[in-house]
Amino acid sequence: TAALRGWGSHADNVLRGNMASSPDEVNAFLDRVVTRLKPKRDEDYASLLALKRSEVPGADALDPWDTAYFGRQVRESKGIDEEALKPHFPASEVVPATIKALGEDLFGFTVRGPLNDAKLWHDDCELYEVAKDDVIVGHVALDLKSRDGKFGHQMVVPLRPALVDGAPNCCAVLGNMGDANGRLRFREVETLLHELGHVFHALAGGPKPSILGWAWPMVPWPGGVEMDMLEVPSMLTQQFVYAPAVLAKIARPHAETRASLPSETIKALAENRHLLAGLGNARYIAMCRYDMAMHSLAPGDVDACGLWPAIYEETAGFAEAPGTHFASTWYHMCIGYDAGYYSYLWSEVNAVDAYKQFGDELDAAAGRRFRECVLEPGAAAGGAAMMEAFLGRPFREDAYFERLGVPVSS
């Protein structure tokens, strides 16, 4: 298809509408991150290999599955037990507190709900109404509980765009959160904040032609925010889960002891959020490089599978397990992230830079400015221009590396 349209590759065609507008720009970005994170990757690798040698004397390398096993030991050594935190996060109280903290305290909307008269597809679902200046801008249905046969991931699905002279926007959060007692893990609270960032991005924009609205690439109407801008609001809002002022609003006294979430626990969660990030990012960037490489193949070059082993070993430091090929279960390539997987990292870099404007607080002034500069325009403005309008300058990568403990270059 790219050749028929005069483009050198599928990646050339896909990227022409993004903030990073060419494979060369994406690859240069990924190369910069790999170079600056390599010392951290090697440090993480060495720490896990030392743990492996305590169980397997003489081991000279990690296998891919070792990262999960020994990584869990590292996390446990930091005294963080997510199971023990669940009594602080009952979904029935945390969900409404979180949507109102973001919607009202941060972005300046009015949030009503859950609405008692809503008629939705399952009894587990709840509907919230979002208004601005007494005008309804949209609704969001929250379908957060697991059940048999349900979509197994977490995502926001647009149900109806806010078209000119049409009804308000509507979207749904599909999730699989909470245990049998209705309690959330800390990481699930983080995911909730992430998905709600998408929700307010979807609902904030006023009526406009659909091509300028918010949309995922697989929805049945054209248009949408640039792929590498799409995750910026969600990656901004998820960072607030580590802010003491925000946890004070959404966490609850322990269900049994009635004790508050300890401040030292909050501090430990924040300090260790990027534990082993060198190795974790290396695997992710290997996938980004592979995505870009296979979608940059010229017509007739078909050995996409053969590209992965060398990219994986060079970037992540691991050899692929014999007889496996991870991309056979990599569903992102089938839902619109082809030549776009890098966009998570690109968005995170922008989001971390933006978060510094808030200073770990639900800063209402910064939140309104973010709403006006980034959320409301939708696709009516380019991502780079929106970020510059919010920040007062072009976005920079330094804050991202500072967060990971990587020295910032002069």
Side-chain angles (χ1 to χ4, degrees), residues 213-405:
W214 182 97
W216 284 113
M218 69 287 250
V219 301
W221 59 82
V225 177
E226 293 155 306
M227 196 66 184
D228 46 12
M229 185 67 191
L230 193 61
E231 297 285 341
V232 172
S234 57
M235 290 188 165
L236 171 76
T237 53
Q238 77 180 48
Q239 295 174 76
F240 284 104
V241 79
Y242 297 99
V246 176
L247 282 174
K249 280 183 171 289
I250 64 176
R252 295 297 182 257
H254 192 283
E256 282 82 40
T257 68
R258 308 311 296 168
S260 298
L261 187 63
S263 58
E264 59 269 23
T265 299
I266 297 173
K267 183 179 179 182
L269 288 167
E271 289 177 346
N272 293 291
R273 70 173 113 174
H274 296 300
L275 202 62
L276 302 176
L279 276 180
N281 278 305
R283 174 175 169 78
Y284 163 76
I285 295 170
M287 295 165 73
C288 296
R289 283 176 153 178
Y290 175 54
D291 169 37
M292 200 53 54
M294 68 174 167
H295 288 113
S296 296
L297 293 170
D301 294 334
V302 295
D303 188 17
C305 293
L307 295 170
W308 169 247
I311 291 173
Y312 184 40
E313 188 160 1
E314 176 192 352
T315 308
F318 291 93
E320 184 182 23
T324 68
H325 187 68
F326 91 96
S328 62
T329 59
W330 191 15
Y331 87 111
H332 286 80
M333 294 301 97
C334 304
I335 65 167
Y337 281 89
D338 43 304
Y341 200 58
Y342 79 93
S343 61
Y344 285 107
L345 180 58
W346 183 280
S347 290
E348 184 177 6
V349 168
N350 276 266
V352 173
D353 196 15
Y355 186 77
K356 292 191 74 173
Q357 303 288 314
F358 295 86
D360 267 351
E361 300 286 344
L362 290 171
D363 185 317
R368 305 303 189 278
R369 197 168 75 253
F370 190 81
R371 186 190 78 194
E372 293 166 359
C373 294
V374 178
L375 302 183
E376 291 179 354
M386 289 190 284
M387 289 301 297
E388 186 165 355
F390 174 67
L391 295 168
R393 56 166 172 77
F395 82 91
R396 294 196 289 256
E397 298 171 3
D398 290 349
Y400 172 76
F401 293 111
E402 287 174 358
R403 172 73 62 79
L404 295 181

Side-chain angles (χ1 to χ4, degrees), residues 115-122 127:
L115 303 179
N116 294 326
D117 57 348
K119 296 180 180 179
L120 298 169
W121 53 90
H122 196 278
L127 189 70

Side-chain angles (χ1 to χ4, degrees), residues 49-94:
L49 183 57
L51 283 175
K52 182 174 182 177
R53 285 172 176 159
S54 69
E55 296 189 14
V56 186
D60 59 0
L62 293 173
D63 292 306
W65 51 87
D66 288 331
T67 57
Y69 176 71
F70 293 107
R72 184 164 55 249
Q73 292 184 22
V74 172
R75 280 184 280 275
E76 289 173 353
S77 73
K78 303 296 182 180
I80 298 173
D81 182 355
E82 286 206 21
E83 288 296 312
L85 297 180
K86 283 164 50 173
H88 290 286
F89 298 109
S92 61
E93 298 178 53
V94 169

